[in-house]
Amino acid sequence: MFNKKKNAHYIIRLKFIYKECVVMRFLRGITAGAVIGAVAGMLIMPQLSWNTRRKFGRSGRMIRNTAEDLMGSMRSWSK
């Protein structure tokens, strides 16, 4: 016979793994969008002034730092 407690544990674990996959797919989508946006920005950048480029650079660093913090908190949450 099957142990109901043991099977329930496996079902809960599978649900957790599924939720983790959904989060990872979401983060991959965000990353892909950021990369596509960066490439588009690089194509447009030569036409912009120096001050605008500097502002874009600052914004990019801020977004990167925020994304790194988010990934760190997601990793600690999933453990």
Side-chain angles (χ1 to χ4, degrees):
M1 279 283 150
F2 293 105
N3 186 349
K4 287 185 179 181
K5 275 189 171 180
K6 192 173 186 180
N7 288 340
H9 174 71
Y10 287 124
I11 291 171
I12 291 170
R13 180 70 180 145
L14 288 174
K15 286 180 182 179
F16 177 75
I17 290 171
Y18 175 75
K19 286 180 184 177
E20 191 173 286
C21 290
V22 170
V23 170
M24 292 308 291
R25 280 187 277 165
F26 173 75
L27 291 176
R28 283 187 199 139
I30 294 291
T31 304
V35 168
I36 292 169
V39 169
M42 287 180 200
L43 293 173
I44 295 171
M45 284 297 263
Q47 300 171 359
L48 299 176
S49 70
W50 184 78
N51 287 334
T52 307
R53 290 183 198 179
R54 191 173 65 186
K55 287 179 186 178
F56 272 123
R58 286 180 185 164
S59 298
R61 283 190 295 277
M62 185 179 70
I63 291 170
R64 185 184 64 217
N65 291 339
T66 304
E68 287 173 353
D69 291 342
L70 178 65
M71 284 298 295
S73 64
M74 292 297 287
R75 285 184 183 143
S76 65
W77 174 76
S78 67
K79 288 183 180 181

